[in-house]
Amino acid sequence: MEKVWTDYQAENKQRFLDELLELLRIPSVSAKSEHKQDMIKCAEAIKNRLIEAGADNVKLYETAGHPVVYGEKLIDPSLPTVLVYGHYDVQPPEPLELWNSGPFDPVIKDGKIFARGSCDDKGQMYMHVKAFETMMKTNTLKSNIKFCIEGEEEVGSPNLGTFVREQKALLKSDCVLISDSSMISLETPSLEAGLRGLSYIEVEVTGPNRDLHSGVYGGAVANPITILAKMIASLHDENNHISIPGFYDDVQEASKEERAMLAEAPFDEEEYKTDLGVKELWGDKGYSTIERTGIRPTLELNGIWGGYTGEGAKTVLPSKAYAKISARLVPNQKSDKITDLLIRHIEKIAPPYVTVKASLHHGGEPYVTPIDSKAYQAASKAIEETFGKKPIPQRGGGSIPICSLFEQELGTKVVLMGFGLDSDNLHSPNEKFDLANFYKGIETIPYFHKYFAEM
Amino acid sequence: MEKVWTDYQAENKQRFLDELLELLRIPSVSAKSEHKQDMIKCAEAIKNRLIEAGADNVKLYETAGHPVVYGEKLIDPSLPTVLVYGHYDVQPPEPLELWNSGPFDPVIKDGKIFARGSCDDKGQMYMHVKAFETMMKTNTLKSNIKFCIEGEEEVGSPNLGTFVREQKALLKSDCVLISDSSMISLETPSLEAGLRGLSYIEVEVTGPNRDLHSGVYGGAVANPITILAKMIASLHDENNHISIPGFYDDVQEASKEERAMLAEAPFDEEEYKTDLGVKELWGDKGYSTIERTGIRPTLELNGIWGGYTGEGAKTVLPSKAYAKISARLVPNQKSDKITDLLIRHIEKIAPPYVTVKASLHHGGEPYVTPIDSKAYQAASKAIEETFGKKPIPQRGGGSIPICSLFEQELGTKVVLMGFGLDSDNLHSPNEKFDLANFYKGIETIPYFHKYFAEM
């Protein structure tokens, strides 16, 4: 069976890549309303690729936001069904001036595809489309398969919940397979055994009711930037613990055994620092870097702005200052509860000189995939088959809030078989995806379906 | 003599205004290189207006930046000479979305001219051109007069020093008259007896060498926004004193008498708060609001930015965060010394997780005009003549760094006879200048020349 796959993929290698590049040229930025037409164009393109690969009932499902692409191949009701989830939307490309080539003008350099979405998630999502094509064209599909490719992951999937609840029958499946995360390296494959949750809020601090001249009013009226800075500064203590009362209340501390297992992953702190260009690491005292990015909750500033930010100098005392703040959550923290805690805390510490508004952007629950589940085992075997090594189980730092949505609404476990790398510059300028990882993914996915069907 | 002035001004009232509106339509933003041609256009317009008014030797003097407009009328070497200084450049108009009408599309509403530069300083500078025209056309000029109108005041006059040093003979005069400040109101006229100095710096904090995914790296590497916030938060203590060692060392505390005099100015704290829309005022403990904006040094955040600042949410841990910070200085603080202190302090408090660069934007010295000087006395008498009240001496919060430059290089005292109001939204959206103030200025200025010549 393997040879037919390998042969087919070798013959169609260049076309697989060309088709991906075509998708990457569409600026499907879900956060910006100006890209509404690009979103539809991208969804249509995926619909057409699924039809060409042999899927049935391929259709765009309208939502209150961007459409969901659905397609399926149901070969035998007695066989298990795998629901493949992915997303065709991408993060905004800004800051544009830091890209070495256009974010929507993909370039292949040193064996890597540089473009927004190359890894997150168009490249990884498309591996599934091409793996499906491989199985269809070689007549080797051994499980039922369904595709659910959404367009709002990067803005927190605000409409996926409604879609999933309304389409439970359509999406009925035995596991959900997602490639939207990373592994350590091709030499040291790994598999996500969990992800952090998210609470993302925006804070607006208002001082005076208009921008003022900092000479005329400076010193006599609270500057919202200074106040916002004081508020932000108070959110971490001297040990870099989050100093919001109640924040850690529900954190399920990892067991000694789990921490020992995490410590086994190869990790070179010097290499990590060199790669990031920092002299010293920073983080929650008493925890290792791997623990800080996996099993510990965090509070990060994702953006800040206020006053004059252009070229040159302007002596303004601004009316407003803003920040985007997000917390990563671990089991058993609840996104709603933490969001509420954050908002109430921010409002509480606001001094009387200013008015503060804090509001939710989006959230998602932390998620753990049991390593003894069928889906995890099938993914582990598939990777072992093509990489020659059993993958190391990991706890990822990112968040895919839809994991708990699928579990809750469909009763199915999610397996996160990611083929990206931490160095792929996700959400950053010069996002890339290694060609080797793209092809390795296409090669590995058919084994997942085979092993899952056999379990 | 007065009647010929009043008659002439009444007849030409509308033309004076139309000419000012023409000037306001030129977007002469000195901070932005894209406006280089607009700067020249504006300088040429002023040159032509001076020629039409009857000035001699009118000429644009090139500098390393934007040109200086010079013109003169020397009627008698035995009479005193007044050097009128003003500037034709304006602050950047951003944020544009907060303007009710275009910043360079002047609108008259409720007796006010709304436009960038209407008050600061095109409107006030142009009062001098029209007062000069009045005296020329009515044959009543009683002093020699020179104009020096520069184009770089809003970026810290980087090339005026060289110009003044090279043109000492050209600029030789007995006093420098400037209208680039404000008075309390038309009902309660006031006159600046001093101004604060300025040190304006920009800070760049670099964490990791690229923008990172806040899920993958969050919690393990220092976030430059968080670090910058902690640094900013440390700059003021719980009494809102500036907590930079040495910052207050050279401050010449105001005398009991001066503080008593300042306390005489009419000031209603409730009205001030209502106007600004704040529930509580903020400032240096132990000082009144008038003292905080006049005789006390300040440290203000003029801008901050970093990470994702657009619509929606982006889970980025940014590489860089920036702030624009300025200090207002009082006698005897020195701008260079404080700038150096600020930069060294910022670099010193930077933790080892980040790299910090702090650099000078521009600076200027604090300035005091003795109220017993001839120039101050002439201005006081002129205002009393047209307002019917002796003006209250004030210490202004803003900075006009060129005051000490003129005193140092030309040996002449500067008098700051401003006709703006604190509510004119200088450097802010919807900058305005009351028509009544514009015309009152044109009416008052000839008296200054008359009284100064008689002293």
Side-chain angles (χ1 to χ4, degrees):
Chain A
M1 193 186 252
E2 294 77 357
K3 185 144 179 358
V4 294
W5 291 343
T6 323
D7 287 353
Y8 183 81
Q9 291 178 356
E11 277 159 32
N12 293 281
K13 206 172 154 160
Q14 186 59 43
R15 179 175 54 82
F16 288 179
L17 176 60
D18 291 343
E19 288 171 9
L20 172 58
L21 298 185
E22 206 52 57
L23 279 186
L24 293 173
R25 287 191 189 99
I26 307 170
S28 50
V29 180
S30 50
K32 298 196 175 172
S33 41
E34 70 208 66
H35 289 291
K36 200 168 166 36
Q37 286 312 311
D38 297 315
M39 296 302 296
I40 292 167
K41 190 178 165 193
C42 195
E44 289 284 352
I46 295 160
K47 187 183 94 174
N48 293 332
R49 295 300 89 73
L50 281 172
I51 293 170
E52 288 160 15
D56 301 325
N57 302 320
V58 185
K59 183 176 161 184
L60 300 197
Y61 282 82
E62 291 308 316
T63 71
H66 305 299
V68 173
V69 189
Y70 178 82
E72 61 183 25
K73 191 74 201 180
L74 308 179
I75 51 174
D76 181 346
S78 71
L79 285 173
T81 301
V82 175
L83 175 63
V84 174
Y85 165 88
H87 63 92
Y88 63 88
D89 64 323
V90 299
Q91 281 277 321
E94 287 80 11
L96 293 173
E97 66 277 15
L98 297 184
W99 283 81
N100 297 328
S101 52
F104 301 108
D105 185 14
V107 163
I108 312 280
K109 211 181 134 186
D110 305 330
K112 300 164 177 71
I113 314 163
F114 288 91
R116 172 57 86 232
S118 55
C119 176
D120 179 15
D121 179 47
K122 285 178 182 168
Q124 296 210 63
M125 173 269 289
Y126 206 60
M127 298 180 317
H128 288 274
V129 181
K130 295 297 102 178
F132 170 64
E133 179 192 310
T134 302
M135 295 183 284
M136 289 298 291
K137 302 297 178 188
T138 58
N139 235 326
T140 53
L141 183 61
K142 296 289 173 206
S143 67
N144 298 308
I145 190 163
K146 295 178 174 181
F147 285 90
C148 168
I149 314 296
E150 76 149 320
E152 300 190 306
E153 199 273 343
E154 299 294 3
V155 290
S157 305
N159 299 298
L160 194 70
T162 306
F163 175 73
V164 171
R165 273 184 291 276
E166 286 175 0
Q167 301 292 349
K168 280 189 189 181
L170 186 76
L171 301 176
K172 192 173 181 304
S173 49
D174 299 286
C175 83
V176 180
L177 176 62
I178 304 179
S179 297
D180 193 18
S181 52
S182 60
M183 51 170 44
I184 296 171
S185 68
L186 289 184
E187 294 70 41
T188 310
S190 59
L191 198 50
E192 298 280 12
L195 283 170
R196 292 193 284 194
L198 184 72
S199 286
Y200 197 121
I201 65 166
E202 184 155 327
V203 177
E204 178 194 85
V205 178
T206 307
N209 54 13
R210 60 186 187 275
D211 281 5
L212 302 173
H213 187 298
S214 70
V216 177
Y217 289 92
V221 56
N223 185 318
I225 303 177
T226 309
I227 302 296
L228 177 60
K230 288 215 183 242
M231 290 169 62
I232 292 169
S234 77
L235 300 177
H236 289 93
D237 71 13
E238 66 283 7
N239 293 320
N240 305 326
H241 287 306
I242 297 155
S243 40
I244 300 174
F247 185 83
Y248 292 101
D249 280 2
D250 297 329
V251 170
Q252 181 192 308
E253 290 286 339
S255 66
K256 243 187 174 167
E257 291 70 31
E258 187 164 6
R259 292 182 71 177
M261 202 175 72
L262 286 171
E264 276 174 30
F267 179 75
D268 184 325
E269 190 166 302
E270 286 310 312
E271 225 172 70
Y272 190 82
K273 289 199 292 190
T274 305
D275 172 49
L276 296 175
V278 296
K279 275 178 289 186
E280 282 195 30
L281 296 178
W282 175 102
D284 209 349
K285 202 174 168 180
Y287 295 89
S288 71
T289 294
I290 287 181
E291 290 170 341
R292 287 168 178 172
T293 56
I295 59 169
R296 293 295 292 167
T298 68
L299 188 77
E300 292 292 337
L301 268 290
N302 304 111
I304 192 164
W305 70 105
Y308 183 64
T309 59
E311 190 188 345
K314 184 173 166 178
T315 47
V316 64
L317 191 169
S319 170
K320 287 174 188 289
Y322 303 84
K324 293 182 196 271
I325 305 177
S326 66
R328 296 284 167 174
L329 313 178
V330 299
N332 292 325
Q333 290 181 301
K334 291 271 167 291
S335 177
D336 282 358
K337 190 173 166 187
I338 294 292
T339 300
D340 193 52
L341 187 76
L342 290 181
I343 290 176
R344 277 189 297 113
H345 181 76
I346 292 284
E347 288 172 350
K348 196 179 139 200
I349 62 173
Y353 325 113
V354 296
T355 312
V356 170
K357 272 199 298 194
S359 53
L360 168 72
H361 260 306
H362 60 85
E365 303 303 338
Y367 188 77
V368 172
T369 308
I371 59 175
D372 57 1
S373 63
K374 275 189 192 175
Y376 184 92
Q377 289 296 323
S380 183
K381 277 190 74 175
I383 288 174
E384 194 176 352
E385 181 71 47
T386 54
F387 287 74
K389 273 182 200 168
K390 207 177 157 78
I392 296 169
Q394 281 217 305
R395 290 281 282 272
S399 303
I400 307 184
I402 43 79
C403 292
S404 42
L405 172 73
F406 285 127
E407 176 158 334
Q408 203 177 312
E409 299 299 333
L410 305 179
T412 42
K413 271 287 164 198
V414 173
V415 62
L416 299 159
M417 189 167 69
F419 293 92
L421 299 176
D422 278 356
S423 56
D424 282 341
N425 298 326
L426 304 191
H427 299 199
S428 303
N430 306 311
E431 178 178 346
K432 58 96 175 161
F433 192 30
D434 287 46
L435 283 172
N437 293 51
F438 177 61
Y439 290 122
K440 203 74 179 172
I442 302 175
E443 193 187 329
T444 306
I445 291 162
Y447 287 100
F448 175 87
H449 292 278
K450 174 175 187 268
Y451 293 132
F452 190 68
E454 288 172 6
M455 275 178 184
Chain B
M1 193 186 254
E2 295 77 359
K3 185 147 178 2
V4 294
W5 291 343
T6 324
D7 287 353
Y8 183 81
Q9 291 177 355
E11 279 159 31
N12 293 281
K13 208 173 155 160
Q14 187 59 43
R15 178 175 55 82
F16 289 178
L17 176 59
D18 290 343
E19 288 171 10
L20 172 59
L21 299 185
E22 206 51 57
L23 279 186
L24 293 173
R25 287 192 188 99
I26 307 170
S28 49
V29 180
S30 49
K32 297 196 176 173
S33 40
E34 70 208 65
H35 289 291
K36 200 167 167 37
Q37 285 313 310
D38 297 315
M39 296 303 295
I40 291 166
K41 191 178 165 193
C42 195
E44 288 284 350
I46 294 160
K47 187 183 94 174
N48 293 333
R49 296 298 91 71
L50 280 172
I51 293 169
E52 289 159 15
D56 300 326
N57 301 320
V58 185
K59 184 176 160 182
L60 301 197
Y61 282 81
E62 292 307 317
T63 70
H66 305 300
V68 173
V69 188
Y70 177 83
E72 62 182 24
K73 190 75 200 179
L74 308 180
I75 50 172
D76 182 345
S78 71
L79 286 174
T81 301
V82 175
L83 175 63
V84 174
Y85 165 88
H87 63 92
Y88 63 88
D89 65 321
V90 299
Q91 281 276 321
E94 287 80 12
L96 293 173
E97 66 276 15
L98 297 184
W99 284 81
N100 297 327
S101 51
F104 301 108
D105 185 14
V107 163
I108 313 280
K109 211 181 135 186
D110 305 330
K112 300 164 177 71
I113 315 163
F114 288 90
R116 171 58 85 230
S118 56
C119 177
D120 178 14
D121 180 47
K122 285 177 183 167
Q124 296 210 62
M125 173 270 289
Y126 205 61
M127 298 179 317
H128 288 274
V129 180
K130 295 298 103 177
F132 171 63
E133 178 191 311
T134 301
M135 295 183 283
M136 288 299 291
K137 302 296 178 189
T138 59
N139 234 324
T140 54
L141 183 62
K142 296 289 174 203
S143 67
N144 298 307
I145 190 163
K146 295 178 174 181
F147 285 91
C148 169
I149 314 295
E150 75 149 321
E152 301 190 305
E153 200 273 344
E154 299 295 3
V155 290
S157 305
N159 299 298
L160 193 70
T162 305
F163 175 73
V164 171
R165 274 184 291 276
E166 286 176 359
Q167 301 291 349
K168 282 189 187 181
L170 186 74
L171 302 175
K172 191 171 181 309
S173 49
D174 299 286
C175 83
V176 180
L177 176 61
I178 304 180
S179 296
D180 192 18
S181 52
S182 60
M183 50 169 45
I184 297 171
S185 68
L186 289 184
E187 294 70 41
T188 311
S190 59
L191 198 51
E192 298 280 13
L195 284 169
R196 293 194 281 195
L198 185 71
S199 286
Y200 198 122
I201 65 166
E202 184 156 326
V203 177
E204 178 194 86
V205 178
T206 307
N209 54 14
R210 60 188 187 275
D211 282 4
L212 302 173
H213 188 297
S214 70
V216 178
Y217 289 92
V221 55
N223 185 318
I225 303 177
T226 309
I227 301 295
L228 177 60
K230 289 216 183 240
M231 290 169 62
I232 292 168
S234 77
L235 299 178
H236 288 93
D237 70 13
E238 66 282 9
N239 293 319
N240 305 326
H241 287 307
I242 297 156
S243 39
I244 299 174
F247 185 83
Y248 292 102
D249 280 2
D250 298 329
V251 170
Q252 181 193 308
E253 290 287 338
S255 66
K256 245 186 173 169
E257 291 69 31
E258 188 164 7
R259 292 182 72 178
M261 201 174 73
L262 287 171
E264 276 174 30
F267 179 75
D268 184 325
E269 190 166 302
E270 286 310 311
E271 225 173 70
Y272 190 80
K273 289 198 291 190
T274 305
D275 171 49
L276 296 176
V278 296
K279 274 177 290 187
E280 282 195 30
L281 296 179
W282 175 102
D284 209 348
K285 202 175 170 181
Y287 295 90
S288 71
T289 293
I290 287 181
E291 289 171 342
R292 287 167 178 172
T293 57
I295 59 169
R296 293 297 291 169
T298 68
L299 188 77
E300 291 292 338
L301 269 290
N302 303 111
I304 193 164
W305 69 104
Y308 183 64
T309 59
E311 190 188 344
K314 183 173 166 178
T315 48
V316 63
L317 191 170
S319 170
K320 286 173 189 291
Y322 302 84
K324 293 183 197 270
I325 306 177
S326 66
R328 295 284 167 174
L329 313 179
V330 300
N332 292 324
Q333 290 182 300
K334 292 271 167 289
S335 177
D336 282 358
K337 191 173 166 187
I338 294 292
T339 301
D340 192 52
L341 187 75
L342 290 181
I343 290 177
R344 277 188 297 114
H345 181 75
I346 293 284
E347 288 172 349
K348 195 179 140 199
I349 62 173
Y353 326 113
V354 296
T355 312
V356 169
K357 271 199 299 194
S359 53
L360 168 72
H361 261 304
H362 60 85
E365 304 303 338
Y367 187 77
V368 173
T369 308
I371 60 174
D372 57 0
S373 62
K374 276 189 192 174
Y376 184 91
Q377 288 296 324
S380 183
K381 278 191 71 176
I383 288 173
E384 195 175 351
E385 182 70 47
T386 55
F387 287 72
K389 273 183 201 168
K390 208 178 155 82
I392 295 169
Q394 280 217 307
R395 290 280 282 272
S399 302
I400 308 183
I402 43 79
C403 291
S404 43
L405 171 73
F406 286 127
E407 176 159 332
Q408 203 178 314
E409 298 300 333
L410 305 178
T412 42
K413 271 287 163 198
V414 172
V415 62
L416 300 159
M417 189 167 69
F419 293 90
L421 299 176
D422 278 355
S423 56
D424 282 340
N425 298 326
L426 305 191
H427 298 200
S428 304
N430 306 311
E431 177 177 348
K432 59 94 175 160
F433 191 31
D434 287 46
L435 283 172
N437 293 52
F438 176 62
Y439 290 122
K440 204 73 178 174
I442 302 174
E443 192 186 331
T444 307
I445 291 163
Y447 287 99
F448 175 87
H449 292 278
K450 175 175 185 268
Y451 293 131
F452 190 68
E454 288 171 6
M455 275 179 182

